[in-house]
Amino acid sequence: MKTPIKVLALVPYPLGQTPSQRYRIEQWQPYLEREGISLDLSPFATEGLMRVLYRPGHLASKAWALAAASTRRSLQLTQLGRYDAVLIHRAACLAGPAVLERAIALSGKPVIFDFDDAIYLLHTTSANEPFGWLKFAGKTASICRASTHVVVGNSYLADYARQYNPHVTIIPSSVDTERYCPRGKQPSKKLVVVGWMGSSTSQTHLEGFAPVMRELFTRPGVELRVISDREPVLPGVPFVWRPWSPASEVEELAQFDIGIMPMPDDLWTRGKCAMKALLYMSMGVPVICSPVGTNREVIVHGGNGLLAATPEEWVASLDTLVANPAERERLGAAGRQTVEERYSKEHCAASFARVVEQTIERKRPVAGYDLSDPKAVSEERSMSRN
């Protein structure tokens, strides 16, 4: 019988809201519990902080809420003795240098650091762009150095993490294939729904794609449907917008006939984990995606989805799927099979459980980096501004 393992999981956001946590740590928790690994999930941000964080202005409210959250997080250091290890997802705090992360490492507890975006780059919403430096994006390198083991979502992020820590494991973000599964389509349906679902942050990618979509969605019988937390700005593009909610997202996805994931090719998007495409594919919805980052690892063009790099390729791919229901069904079924075989929550959670067990067994001391060095904070600040 395995010895029970208790892990303090420091996550940035309230539970059940943000894709990064939901499709990784939160989704793996039930499986880990069955394996004897207990996760004590501790969000940094409260619901109140989230209500103001991504809205313009409200500087005093943001400052007060961040200070209160940082104080609560600091007090948790007194409870580390109750746990066998500490899991840090993205960062222990939403703002500031890696002070708490270094303190946790100095406590001697094994630290597992998990991230699924290129969080070492400065990436902000327009509402908080002037204060983006407070994220101290450069602290990601410090946390990698301080950690016993680093878990990342794809090979691009692994290449970055291995610059600072040799103990790196790739575990993709995963899908609950029981919840996200194909639904029956209406056989007499004449309208072809081309869908996009995501957050307001990634919605900027869709909005930047507007010039191409002006041609794509002038066709009769084709509707662009956007499911997100804010109405998109798509000049000249007809669309239907519906607000996202966790309660309705599966039924909204089930109404898509085609799922799209347009993205620019830049340093930030190369670190994305193809989660949008995986959700479409899990629902049996055929996908058209930009050949950027993990999309190229997940999708075999013409095998389980379509990749489109140029406006001409996007138009051709959409025309092919709109006109051919049988091809939509074939690609949708192949996409579902890909998710079941490689990206299910059970498959990914099992990999994570092995990492937790092996990390605790190894208890590697941090070497080659002075965690108490005051120069570390200035290094993080400098990296964050580059």
Side-chain angles (χ1 to χ4, degrees):
M1 184 176 180
K2 292 183 180 179
T3 303
I5 295 172
K6 293 190 67 175
V7 178
L8 175 62
L10 304 180
V11 297
Y13 304 109
L15 304 184
Q17 294 190 11
T18 57
S20 178
Q21 286 177 202
R22 291 174 60 216
Y23 301 128
R24 295 183 71 78
I25 310 306
E26 295 178 38
Q27 195 160 245
W28 299 340
Q29 185 181 23
Y31 179 94
L32 297 175
E33 294 281 355
R34 294 195 296 271
E35 293 297 304
I37 301 172
S38 175
L39 286 190
D40 188 355
L41 292 169
S42 176
F44 173 82
T46 63
E47 297 283 351
L49 174 55
M50 293 303 294
R51 280 193 291 271
V52 299
L53 188 59
Y54 297 106
R55 293 168 57 190
H58 302 276
L59 299 184
S61 297
K62 290 177 182 178
W64 174 260
L66 282 169
S70 297
T71 301
R72 286 193 301 272
R73 186 65 98 206
S74 298
L75 291 174
Q76 288 186 298
L77 298 187
T78 64
Q79 304 172 16
L80 293 181
R82 299 165 46 193
Y83 300 97
D84 300 297
V86 178
L87 166 63
I88 300 172
H89 176 64
R90 296 175 77 98
C93 299
L94 286 177
V99 174
L100 288 183
E101 291 88 348
R102 285 193 288 272
I104 293 167
L106 285 169
S107 74
K109 291 292 179 183
V111 176
I112 301 168
F113 180 35
D114 174 79
F115 62 99
D116 64 337
D117 274 320
I119 56 174
Y120 48 86
L121 301 174
L122 187 58
H123 186 77
T124 63
T125 64
S126 58
N128 291 318
E129 188 172 358
F131 308 99
W133 66 274
L134 288 172
K135 287 187 172 183
F136 279 75
K139 70 182 176 183
T140 305
S142 297
I143 305 173
C144 285
R145 289 190 187 105
S147 298
T148 314
H149 203 102
V150 181
V151 177
V152 295
N154 58 48
S155 58
Y156 181 80
L157 301 177
D159 289 342
Y160 169 83
R162 290 189 180 112
Q163 298 177 80
Y164 309 102
N165 192 320
H167 301 284
V168 178
T169 299
I170 300 171
I171 302 180
S173 298
S174 61
V175 180
D176 181 346
T177 52
E178 294 182 0
R179 181 172 184 236
Y180 298 89
C181 58
R183 305 289 201 269
K185 300 288 184 182
Q186 300 175 17
S188 61
K189 180 180 172 184
K190 295 182 180 179
L191 183 69
V192 176
V193 176
V194 180
W196 185 96
M197 178 179 286
S199 67
S200 57
T201 302
S202 60
Q203 191 165 276
T204 57
H205 302 155
L206 181 72
E207 291 168 336
F209 194 61
V212 177
M213 291 192 292
R214 290 190 194 108
E215 179 178 355
L216 290 176
F217 295 103
T218 56
R219 290 153 172 72
V222 179
E223 176 188 288
L224 172 62
R225 189 173 299 176
V226 179
I227 315 296
S228 66
D229 52 1
R230 70 167 172 85
E231 187 169 358
V233 179
L234 299 169
V237 180
F239 67 90
V240 172
W241 173 73
R242 293 180 181 173
W244 175 89
S245 79
S248 64
E249 66 173 352
V250 173
E251 291 308 315
E252 293 287 7
L253 284 167
Q255 296 179 43
F256 290 4
D257 295 292
I258 302 167
I260 61 172
M261 187 178 179
M263 292 194 302
D265 187 0
D266 57 36
L267 294 177
W268 176 260
T269 57
R270 291 172 196 171
K272 302 297 289 182
C273 287
M275 198 63 230
K276 206 180 308 299
L278 291 173
L279 288 179
Y280 300 153
M281 294 163 73
S282 183
M283 298 291 298
V285 175
V287 298
I288 308 173
C289 300
S290 298
V292 178
T294 310
N295 286 354
R296 293 182 296 180
E297 300 174 14
V298 172
I299 298 168
V300 177
H301 181 70
N304 60 2
L306 299 177
L307 295 171
T310 66
E312 293 77 16
E313 289 173 354
W314 273 96
V315 171
S317 296
L318 185 68
D319 282 343
T320 296
L321 294 187
V322 167
N324 194 335
E327 182 68 354
R328 296 202 299 267
E329 184 175 355
R330 181 186 74 83
L331 290 177
R336 169 69 186 187
Q337 182 177 354
T338 297
V339 174
E340 289 177 339
E341 292 175 352
R342 295 163 51 194
Y343 300 99
S344 72
K345 69 173 183 178
E346 290 80 9
H347 177 82
C348 297
S351 298
F352 190 75
R354 288 193 296 271
V355 167
V356 173
E357 293 166 348
Q358 292 168 6
T359 299
I360 291 175
E361 290 173 4
R362 187 173 77 248
K363 291 186 178 179
R364 179 181 67 86
V366 178
Y369 183 58
D370 183 358
L371 296 172
S372 60
D373 185 353
K375 294 181 180 179
V377 173
S378 61
E379 178 190 61
E380 293 164 15
R381 183 182 294 112
S382 175
M383 294 174 66
S384 297
R385 288 175 173 169
N386 290 337

